[in-house]
Amino acid sequence: QVQLVESGGGSVQAGGSLRLSCAASGYTYTAYCMAWFRQAPGKEREGVALINSGGDSVYYADSVKGRFTISRDNAKNALYLQMNSLKPEDTAMYYCAAVSTSGCYSKSWTRRVSYWGQGTQVTVSS
């Protein structure tokens, strides 16, 4: 069955870095765009970064642009999110997601998720 398993979350002080990883299995990884979402308590889930199936086109939410880098390794069915210059407002549960290719290049891509991971917690203290 489809599995998306995140790892790499944890607690860090403001200004620090973390690297999240997501291991995908059970579907054709290269047939999907991949994304990272996050959800803080009391807030809606937010799409923070998106990468196309080939890994040569990316999108970032304004809130993380210049600080976060999304990448993928199609040989390993893996997705990554390098997070630098972390801020307390980055505190959230982070989710890996597979986005349908048909929706990947649309403004509504955040609503075109086919598969979700279980999430990994990131906590940034001031």
Side-chain angles (χ1 to χ4, degrees), residues 90-112:
D90 294 319
T91 294
M93 186 72 78
Y94 283 72
Y95 298 89
C96 169
V99 178
S100 66
T101 302
S102 62
C104 184
Y105 298 98
S106 74
K107 291 183 178 180
S108 62
W109 68 268
T110 58
R111 299 192 293 273
R112 306 295 288 270

Side-chain angles (χ1 to χ4, degrees), residues 35-86:
W36 289 98
F37 287 74
R38 68 184 181 186
Q39 188 168 21
K43 295 189 176 181
E44 291 189 358
R45 192 170 293 192
E46 172 191 20
V48 296
L50 174 71
I51 189 167
N52 69 342
S53 57
D56 57 355
S57 180
V58 298
Y59 161 86
Y60 297 100
D62 287 343
S63 56
V64 306
K65 199 173 294 182
R67 301 187 298 121
F68 290 12
T69 302
I70 188 171
S71 61
R72 64 189 294 166
D73 185 335
N74 286 345
K76 296 182 178 179
N77 284 10
L79 178 72
Y80 306 102
L81 185 68
Q82 178 66 43
M83 306 186 295
N84 298 329
S85 302
L86 283 162

